[in-house]
Amino acid sequence: MPVHRRTFLQLAAAGTSSALLTTGQASTRQPIKAVAFDGLTIIDPRPVFALTEALFPGNGSELSNAWRTRQFEYTWLRSMGNRYADFWQITEQALVFACKSLKLELSNQNRDRLMQRYLELKAWPDVRAALVSLKDAGVRSVILANLTVPMLDAVVRNSGLENFFEPHLSTDLVKAFKPDPRAYQMGLDGLQLKREEIVFSASASWDAAGAKWFGYTTFWINRMGLPVEELSVMPDGIGTGQADLVNFVKSKLA
């Protein structure tokens, strides 16, 4: 999802959640048993943006926007073309291209520093309390993401969240990125649950749409207050933080 200057500044100042907005009533016959989290609902990417600005003063927002956009375009193109490369490789290639497109000189040292920052990230401040609430309610948690297992392991370890998640469902397992149905299928196979027993928590509206197309009850954590994508489908719930997700899930437990 593009990180424009306005939304970049919103991210930098992002706090915790606000009131829940539900956009539809999911028809579930069975209580929710698990939440499948997109990686960026857990991972706080702001330190990457901050380092980008530090290394390229005055160009950080534009570079972050171009880098992030190309990351996802490469995942979609590689899935469509059956030319899979893992997200770590795609992230580096997207960074190189973004710098070239903006005519910014990217040294090997700065490239390595920016890539390394991904392995130093931690969870958003509101994540731990949400995971505790879900665990206490008997709801399982798993990360279902485009990121590689080492990238996901790093943020979980950095945040001390090892005891909350089931084994990561990285798209490396199926060699197809979201919104390919093979990616969302990992939730059913990995958790051994039915669609109606899983809430998919998305950090991007397009991902919420993909999960909804697949058949999941979906919740969009919309930290930046962005509009819903025009894809003829709405998430079942929208909120600005993890507390909203927890409230949504608990409403489905009865």
Side-chain angles (χ1 to χ4, degrees), residues 117-134:
R117 185 55 56 95
Y118 268 94
L119 301 180
E120 299 167 353
L121 296 177
K122 295 182 180 180
W124 289 96
D126 59 354
V127 167
R128 177 178 289 275
L131 293 175
V132 169
S133 294
L134 292 173

Side-chain angles (χ1 to χ4, degrees), residues 29 47 79 92 133 145 181 184 213 223 230 243:
R29 295 179 178 272
S79 287
E92 184 171 9
S133 294
Y184 299 115
W213 288 335
R223 294 186 186 272
E230 294 295 327

Side-chain angles (χ1 to χ4, degrees), residues 99-154:
C99 286
K100 288 180 178 178
S101 70
L102 297 174
K103 296 180 172 55
L104 298 173
E105 185 66 31
L106 179 65
S107 67
N108 290 339
Q109 181 182 15
N110 285 345
R111 181 198 62 202
D112 292 345
R113 287 182 65 186
L114 285 165
M115 291 298 297
Q116 178 63 28
R117 185 55 56 95
Y118 268 94
L119 301 180
E120 299 167 353
L121 296 177
K122 295 182 180 180
W124 289 96
D126 59 354
V127 167
R128 177 178 289 275
L131 293 175
V132 169
S133 294
L134 292 173
K135 188 172 184 178
D136 288 347
V139 177
R140 300 157 65 188
S141 296
V142 68
I143 302 177
L144 193 164
N146 286 338
L147 282 74
T148 65
V149 168
M151 295 172 81
L152 296 173
D153 280 345

Side-chain angles (χ1 to χ4, degrees), residues 5 14 22 30-31 34 42 62 64 93 124 129 131 150 191 201 211 213 218 224-225 246:
R5 184 175 298 274
T22 54
Q30 302 182 49
I42 300 297
E62 188 176 15
S64 294
Q93 292 173 339
W124 289 96
L131 293 175
L191 294 167
S201 177
W213 288 335
T218 63
M224 295 187 294
V246 171

Side-chain angles (χ1 to χ4, degrees), residues 195-209:
R195 282 175 172 81
E196 59 267 29
E197 295 174 321
I198 300 171
V199 167
F200 183 85
S201 177
S203 65
S205 183
W206 66 261
D207 197 11

Side-chain angles (χ1 to χ4, degrees), residues 22 30 33-34 39 48 71 78 82 98 100 112 125-126 138 149 153 157 170 193-194 215 220 229:
T22 54
Q30 302 182 49
K33 296 182 180 178
V48 175
Q71 268 182 319
R78 285 187 173 276
N82 292 319
K100 288 180 178 178
D112 292 345
D126 59 354
V149 168
D153 280 345
R157 182 175 60 252
S170 166
L193 294 175
K194 301 174 182 177
W220 179 24
E229 297 283 358

